[in-house]
């Protein structure tokens, strides 16, 4: 792959889907797949698939299709699933606990190394073997542990302040669960997860179906 | 609004964002907003905003902009936030618990009326005042309670089977948290939430930033 080539965000957002579908094919014992078959499973056009994968150097062979395992491995490498990024969770409420116990982090290239909260009942307990620490420990912890990612599962009103704080501490990536499109200046990567938006779309579509 | 007009899924997916930004403007005490200001906040073009809102009959006035409160109320109505849909959660693990305690359901037109699991340690307990019931109670409960939505926070391997089961019981909407694009035949509305996809995109972008 050409390291200097700028890949569009739309292509990047489809990569995890490719990875997921290829992983499923592997589980089903399927060794090769045509762009046509993959396109039917994924609900995107075969030409889109060829175009997407050409961004990373192709992988397909005319008349053979794609080797599922090697394409899966290659997309995993492109996604950086072997990065071993260190992440902390800030906010040990229900969502913080759910994420601390989420089984997919390691397979996706992340390790949760600490959880932070202000609640004295939670501080110095553990969940999934991970220490829950006082917010007062945050600065020192981040400095000593080379933390790459902060996962923010905080009340809405504290999210921006804490986001700015962790970025000032040198953290370069935020996974934000507050219902806001968090934006910050500088070289910071932010993914906002909007559960409530997805729920509203579900409600809208259900309302239409029933009307 | 023209009830027969087919609204594109891209527009529908932007509606919750409009609702969210307008709610934030209201909190800030801002009474009216131009499409230009809104466009800068939301990071989409002013012409896109006008075009989106024209799908629902406009709302804006030349030279005045949008009245924040009435636009917020109207979009809330379009989204059906007053529907009062009844939802159940299937799977009372960490994510099920997190969602049962998620404070935004009511404001988004949903009420959680029951949670189901197979774990005897969880059955007959409560979370956030909601009963956790045995999966054996599911059929009778759905029949007696006019359930609209099933929220699936199940292990991957059980998701398809349980999804088919609840649809057979008459549930018309699924909010799926398993890492698969659940598709089912017939008139069923499905929203898939892919936390792991979002995490992989974060990892990819962070990898690029660091390289």
């Amino acid at each position: 792959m050409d390291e200097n080539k700028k890949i569009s965000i739309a292509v990047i957002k489809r990569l995890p889907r490719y990875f997921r579908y290829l992983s499923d094919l592997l589980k089903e014992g399927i060794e090769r797949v045509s762009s046509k078959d993959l396109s039917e499973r994924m609900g995107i056009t075969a030409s889109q698939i060829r175009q997407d994968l050409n961004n990373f150097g192709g992988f397909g062979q005319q008349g053979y299709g794609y080797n599922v395992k090697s394409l899966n491995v290659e997309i995993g490498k492109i996604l950086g699933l072997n990065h071993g990024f260190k992440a902390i969770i800030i906010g040990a409420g229900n969502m913080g606990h759910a994420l601390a116990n989420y089984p997919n982090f390691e397979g996706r290239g992340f390790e949760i190394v600490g959880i932070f909260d202000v609640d004295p009942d939670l501080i110095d307990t553990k969940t999934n073997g991970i220490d829950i620490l006082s917010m007062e420990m945050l600065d020192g912890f981040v400095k000593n542990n080379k933390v790459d990612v902060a996962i923010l599962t905080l009340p809405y009103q504290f999210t921006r302040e804490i986001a700015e704080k962790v970025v000032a501490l040198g953290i370069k990536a935020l996974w934000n669960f507050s219902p806001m499109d968090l934006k910050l200046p500088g070289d910071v990567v932010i993914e906002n997860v909007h559960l409530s938006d997805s729920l509203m779309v579900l409600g809208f579509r259900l309302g239409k179906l029933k009307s």
Side-chain angles (χ1 to χ4, degrees), chain A residues 141-160:
Chain A
F141 187 92
V142 171
K143 281 172 192 155
N144 292 327
N145 287 277
K146 218 192 91 16
V147 176
D148 301 291
V149 181
I151 300 170
L152 306 179
T153 50
L154 289 156
Y156 184 90
Q157 66 270 30
F158 302 124
T159 300
R160 173 165 300 278

Side-chain angles (χ1 to χ4, degrees), chain A residues 84-111:
Chain A
F85 287 132
K86 286 188 183 177
I88 56 173
I89 295 173
I90 306 183
N94 286 291
M95 187 56 75
H97 268 90
L99 293 175
N101 289 277
Y102 186 60
N104 281 351
F105 279 112
E106 278 194 32
R108 301 298 179 260
F110 294 85
E111 181 196 359

Side-chain angles (χ1 to χ4, degrees), chain A residues 122-138:
Chain A
L122 291 173
I123 291 166
D124 295 331
T125 66
K126 281 177 191 276
T127 181
N128 197 20
I130 309 157
D131 291 319
I132 302 178
L133 304 170
S134 158
M135 280 298 282
E136 288 167 18
M137 313 275 285
L138 184 67

Side-chain angles (χ1 to χ4, degrees), chain A residues 27 53 65 68 88 100 104 172 182:
Chain A
K27 277 183 218 147
L53 298 182
V68 174
I88 56 173
N104 281 351
K172 290 287 183 201
L182 191 61

Side-chain angles (χ1 to χ4, degrees), chain A residues 11 14 18 34-56 58 60 62 66:
Chain A
V11 176
R14 277 194 294 273
Y18 286 113
S34 65
S35 49
K36 183 164 171 290
D37 285 351
L38 193 57
S39 114
E40 280 165 11
R41 281 178 174 251
M42 295 183 64
I44 59 180
T45 66
S47 101
Q48 180 75 75
I49 291 176
R50 285 188 296 265
Q51 206 177 312
D52 282 352
L53 298 182
N54 276 338
N55 278 296
F56 305 100
Q62 193 71 37
Y66 297 103

Side-chain angles (χ1 to χ4, degrees), chain A residues 5 7 29 34 60 72 84 89 96 98 100 107 110 114 119 137 148 158 167 175 177 195 200 203:
Chain A
K5 195 167 170 185
I7 311 294
S34 65
N72 191 55
I89 295 173
F110 294 85
D119 182 348
M137 313 275 285
D148 301 291
F158 302 124
V167 168
W175 202 27
F177 282 77
L195 292 182
M200 285 191 269

